Amino acid sequence: MRAIGRLLPLWMASALLPVGLLAQAKMVDTTPGAGAIAITGGKLLTITHGVIENGVLVLQGGKIVAVGTAGAVKVPKGATVVDAKGMTVYPGLIDSETNLGLVEVESDKVNSDLVETSEEIFPQMHVYDAFHAETERIPIDRFNGVTNAVVAPASEDTMPGQDILIQLAGRDRDTMLMTRDVALAMNFGQGQKRGGRGEGAGGPGAKYPATRMGEITQLRQALVDAQEYMQHKADAGKKPGEMKTKFDLRNEALLPYLKGEKPVVLGVYEGYEVEVALALAQEFHLKVVLNHVTHAQDVLDKIASYKVPVIVGPIYDFPAANERYDAVFSLPAELQKRGVKIAFASYGVEFNRNLPYAAGYAVAYGLPYDEAMKAITLNPAEIWGVADKLGSLDVGKTANVVIANGDPLDVRTSVKQVYIDGVAIPMETRQTRLRDEYMPKK
Amino acid sequence: MGKRMAGVARGCGVVIVSVAAGVGAAQQVPDLVIRNATVMTVTHGTIEHGSVWVHNGKIAGVGTTVNAPTGAVVVDGTGKYVTPGIVDPHSHSALGNDVNEATSPVTPSMMMIDAFDNSDKALYQALAGGVTTELLLHGSANMIGGQAVVIKNKFGLSRDGMLFPNAPRSIKFASGENPKRVYGGRNQLPSTRMGNFEVMRQAFEDAKVYRKEWDSYDAKVAQGAKDVTMPHRDLKLEALADVLRGKLLVQIHCYRADEFLTEEAIAQEYGYKIRAFHHALEMYKVGDKIAQDDTGIATFADWWGFKDEAWDAIPWNAVMSMREGVRVALKSDSNDSVRRLNQEAGKMVHYGGATEEEALRMVTLNPAWIIGVDDRIGSIDTGKDGDLVVWNMDPLSTYARAEKVYIDGDLFFDSSLKGFGTTHFDGVMHSSGFGGSDDEEGGN
């Protein structure tokens, strides 16, 4: 998020804007109906087994139940047939980092739940406790074919909390939560310093940590504490005289990560930051997903050697002073070429609907098209542990499917229909309602 | 000092400098011919297997064939697309941290040229995205901000060499949340929209008096009067008087439908014209009315919801407003999206079904009109400046890359070159401290 902060306006906190905008998007019940839906005649981008021209895709009971060519797949009797001739059909897109539902309008601080900044070590903060499922931004996001997203806290802390993975439709918050605590957010670099106002590490109002040393030490202490807690817990009752450990929310929250059961998402930008942060992660045997790395061109081979997936971007981050204009645009291609599993993210809340364009931009600068599609479908499904449910047009997977009038990655393409859990989502947003209300009368 | 001298000094300084700079540069360039490309002219359709000929920096021919002389630089455009240079009508690039003189809500005598840093890397990045002309504006902290500078993106040339020769003068006005926030936050006037417009009306009332004083003085001098005292010269009021005289193109940062109407009413009351509303995210609500005033808009393609007054933004705004007869341009307002304004145009095919030519016009000819230079740039027509971009494919696609960028017939960027891909640059680039939206109060 630091880079986005640099690219976009940094909203001045303002006492003048206490207004809470009424953000109450219509919820969509995604309980699947009994009948089948057959999408016929379209070009199917399956992701796992190539492109099927004139394909048939059958959805039933919230799942994909058949996929193949028109000759090979029979349309079930009584199925609702959707003619997708001339259309492109693909799995719903997955956004690997957003702040959806944590804030509606960033200048409206009263309703912002982006991040708890009173301290930095907050693994016990759960995004699901703040996630506002009725945000108007979700219908607008899925309007362009995004059906799933990770919601992370903003990145001002070195350890701001745990992410969620959501479906972008459902009758209420719980229905939309696919995985609670899907990952732990960790950040390292300039943006997490508590150096106070002004330049450098020690302006007025400076708090710890004011340097990168402070940040790493703070993280290491938190992880050491949690390790000790884990050991105490294991020992309790085994050794005579060992006291039962007092339950501690913070240490408890770190246990699945220390055990390597879930990934930490490590947000870093510069090459040396990657190396420092990875060394810390290795010290505690953390399962890592790297995030950003937009100025780490000097350590690409090293990144590849870690064998960890990378959420790369924002692809629109600016090149460093000595770099060519396309140094960041070509980064996804450079990582993929080295065998790194990559995913894309839109970050923040203002550009989520443009996720496919980020993938397309990477194609313009060398990323193979199929890899770009994978980076917003199957790769994130694997990274977030839901590849059995999402990320491709395969039998048995959740029926999150998009029909568009062209190439999903092209800015000129319009999505015509989105299915989530096999339910046709009304292609209606706050913005389409305004559009229709003011559409010039012919 | 006589009347004539005073008249010249009043408001013409920028232009004089740029005349001298522009002419010399263009004459050295050899003829250029781009052959066998898909030429998107913007004004007269798309020519398959077309050619463009540039002579002395000006477009000398465009069509399926051109009469180029031997010795011209010939570029094979097979499989490529050629468009006019992209024009950004709203930028704060290359102004460092000096975008807003946010110490008074009325600062019309601020000259953005005084902050222009020609070595700002943002200009290079924009050039690599096919951007050849930019309007560099004051920010939106003030109801009446400063006067813009128009540049040609000849990255690597001197400051003077990058000025757009004889470009009309533009001035930046603002309204809405930003002046409220900046001054209200200090418990100063204005802190409300009432305050915003009161400040503006008072400024024009003062300017009316000032203008009358000077007009009366000028008239007396013209009649040969000897014993008249020259009135005090006030740079601020002089600039405002020039607005009243119609000598400045008025560019207004404005989001809400009600504020477009208020701004138009005030303009009518004081007798000036509004060239364009910038941002203008609610224009789709009142486009039919604004179209009658021949006021254009420079809007975002799809950015929305970044503050209250952007809450009703819809991505169909540009095309709906266009259908109502408003002249619509897309703009960056950012060092980021300026690098892909072609894609922002492409989105208009998605949001509202613009034709490719209509979409391309929003980042070429229409922004050129907003800047007041549409007779010289913005389309591929004989007699216009040789500002051309060669793209690897249809520029409205996500996959399009600018391969070669020509300004006044001279190559300034070539992506096939090693290093930066620049042809005239041989120095140190400055990384800008700002260059973000003018919705930001100051530098970061």
Side-chain angles (χ1 to χ4, degrees), chain B residues 159-219:
Chain B
R159 263 165 54 88
D160 289 350
M162 288 184 73
L163 300 179
F164 196 118
N166 301 312
R169 297 159 64 199
S170 275
I171 186 165
K172 173 76 174 290
F173 289 9
S175 62
E177 288 181 21
N178 289 5
K180 265 167 53 99
R181 185 188 67 230
V182 170
Y183 296 99
R186 305 171 192 164
N187 199 23
Q188 292 170 1
L189 182 74
S191 68
T192 61
R193 286 179 168 81
M194 295 92 79
N196 279 352
F197 288 121
E198 191 275 341
V199 161
M200 205 165 132
R201 285 197 183 94
Q202 186 59 56
F204 282 120
E205 288 301 331
D206 296 346
K208 263 164 65 177
V209 174
Y210 181 86
R211 178 189 178 183
K212 208 170 155 189
E213 256 185 299
W214 269 96
D215 285 355
S216 144
Y217 166 77
D218 286 346

Side-chain angles (χ1 to χ4, degrees), chain A residues 9 137 144 316 320-321 323-325 350-351 353-354 361 364 369 407 409-412 414 430-431 435, chain B residues 121 124 302-305 311-313 315-316 339-340 343 350-351 356 394 396 398-399 401 415 417 419:
Chain A
R137 293 180 181 274
N144 277 3
Y316 309 116
E323 284 177 337
R324 196 175 143 97
Y325 75 104
E350 286 163 14
F351 297 95
R353 62 178 163 198
N354 293 343
Y361 214 26
Y369 181 86
D407 177 356
L409 307 187
D410 196 301
V411 288
R412 293 168 294 184
S414 296
R430 185 171 186 280
Q431 298 187 340
R435 174 196 67 189
Chain B
K121 191 169 181 182
Y124 156 63
D302 61 353
W303 193 27
W304 75 285
W311 186 240
D312 273 8
W316 295 274
R339 301 174 295 175
R340 53 181 187 286
Q343 281 187 30
H350 167 22
Y351 294 114
E356 295 233 328
D394 187 332
L396 299 181
T398 313
Y399 311 122
R401 281 184 285 106
S415 68
L417 296 176

Side-chain angles (χ1 to χ4, degrees), chain A residues 52 152 154 207 233 280 292:
Chain A
I52 302 171
K207 288 202 305 184
K233 250 183 108 168
L280 181 77
H292 303 309

